[in-house]
Amino acid sequence: MTILLHLLILSGIIPLTWVNGGRSESFTTQLPVSIINIFISIIGIGFTLFISKNVLKKYQRGITVICWLFVVLWSVGFVQQLLGTPFEKMICSLILLLGVISNLRMAIEK
């Protein structure tokens, strides 16, 4: 959903003033932010698929630590979205809340 959101921003369907706390004044300032977020989302998808294979039982403690780190980072992002524009409060915060819940589930599962 995050990748789709940033693709909609880059295509101009979602106005730049609705995201990034309304600080993106032009496409050139938003472009690197969206590209980095897409890249980070792809890494997150890869990480989730990689650990879901349950092949890494040897590194289970390290994976749990990484998942807890993601829970903390996504929770901070969630709070930041609640302080942003109305679009971020209503849409982006829900996407981040799903991320917090999914990472929390991965962190507490054995």
Side-chain angles (χ1 to χ4, degrees):
M1 289 178 17
T2 303
I3 294 171
L4 176 63
L5 176 74
H6 283 284
L7 290 175
L8 292 173
I9 293 166
L10 292 175
S11 67
I13 295 172
I14 296 176
L16 299 175
T17 56
W18 286 10
V19 294
N20 200 17
R23 293 184 308 251
S24 294
E25 297 174 2
S26 68
F27 182 76
T28 56
T29 58
Q30 181 61 38
L31 182 63
V33 173
S34 289
I35 289 175
I36 289 169
N37 281 323
I38 289 171
F39 183 69
I40 290 170
S41 296
I42 291 170
I43 290 172
I45 290 169
F47 177 76
T48 302
L49 292 175
F50 189 65
I51 66 168
S52 69
K53 299 285 186 195
N54 207 9
V55 195
L56 302 170
K57 292 184 182 192
K58 181 171 138 180
Y59 302 108
Q60 189 64 35
R61 183 154 174 90
I63 290 172
T64 302
V65 169
I66 292 171
C67 288
W68 278 110
L69 177 68
F70 283 145
V71 168
V72 170
L73 292 174
W74 282 64
S75 297
V76 170
F78 177 73
V79 171
Q80 288 177 332
Q81 294 301 320
L82 292 177
L83 300 173
T85 64
F87 176 77
E88 290 173 326
K89 290 177 187 176
M90 295 183 340
I91 305 297
C92 299
S93 63
L94 293 176
I95 294 171
L96 276 168
L97 185 59
L98 288 173
V100 170
I101 292 168
S102 64
N103 281 295
L104 182 61
R105 181 171 179 223
M106 287 190 295
I108 60 177
E109 275 188 2
K110 300 267 179 194

